[in-house]
Each structure stands twice: as structure tokens, then as C-alpha cells.
Amino acid sequence: MDRDEQQAAAVQQARWLAELAQAIDRAQRLARALESSKQDAAEAAAINQRLEAIRLEVDALRRAGRASVRRPIDPFWTGFTPWNRRRAD
């Protein structure tokens, strides 16, 4: 997989995870509404807890995905290492 394919895959994964996070948010709002309606409140609370755990997992995946996308380093900046400097005696 070349760099462009990796970038495209990372963008696609980020988009999918963002859509998933939105769907989880909507599901949590529905579970909270069921909880407050007192109908099956215990079951709705359990569902909301499971959704919260899933939301945390998705957030972790989103953060990890951002860290894995690497940008190329401009060769200009690679010349500033201490071991490449010449002493001016």
C-alpha cells in the first residue's frame, strides 16, 4: 500500500468512525428519552451504559487513527540534526 492509498484508507476510516459516533449519539439520546419516560427505564439505562462503552471505544479508535496518519517530512528539516553540523573552528 503506497502513501496515497494509506491516506485514502485513513480518511475513509475517519469518516466511517465519525458517522458511527453520530449514530451512537442518536441512540444514546433515544435511550435517555426512554429512561426518563419510566417505561422500561432499567433496560434503557443498561442500553445507555453499553452505548457509552461503545462510544468510548470509537473515540479511542478515532484518536489512534489520527496518530497513525503520517505526513512526509520535508528534506529541508532533516538537515538540522546535531550530528550533521560542521564545526566552525
Side-chain angles (χ1 to χ4, degrees):
M1 203 182 244
D2 69 356
R3 191 173 301 239
D4 290 336
E5 290 172 333
Q6 286 176 342
Q7 291 272 341
V11 167
Q12 184 177 5
Q13 180 182 7
R15 187 176 300 127
W16 183 80
L17 288 171
E19 290 172 6
L20 182 58
Q22 288 176 346
I24 292 167
D25 183 53
R26 287 191 301 266
Q28 280 186 302
R29 279 188 261 140
L30 285 172
R32 279 189 225 109
L34 281 174
E35 232 177 305
S36 64
S37 73
K38 306 294 185 218
Q39 275 184 317
D40 298 320
E43 187 175 347
I47 290 170
N48 196 27
Q49 289 172 353
R50 283 184 246 146
L51 287 167
E52 181 62 16
I54 294 167
R55 185 191 67 76
L56 293 172
E57 288 291 324
V58 170
D59 283 347
L61 288 171
R62 290 174 80 181
R63 282 191 302 277
R66 280 188 227 127
S68 68
V69 175
R70 300 190 191 269
R71 290 182 228 142
I73 299 172
D74 188 328
F76 173 80
W77 297 109
T78 60
F80 289 109
T81 54
W83 50 88
N84 287 339
R85 290 186 192 158
R86 292 193 179 170
R87 293 184 118 178
D89 291 270

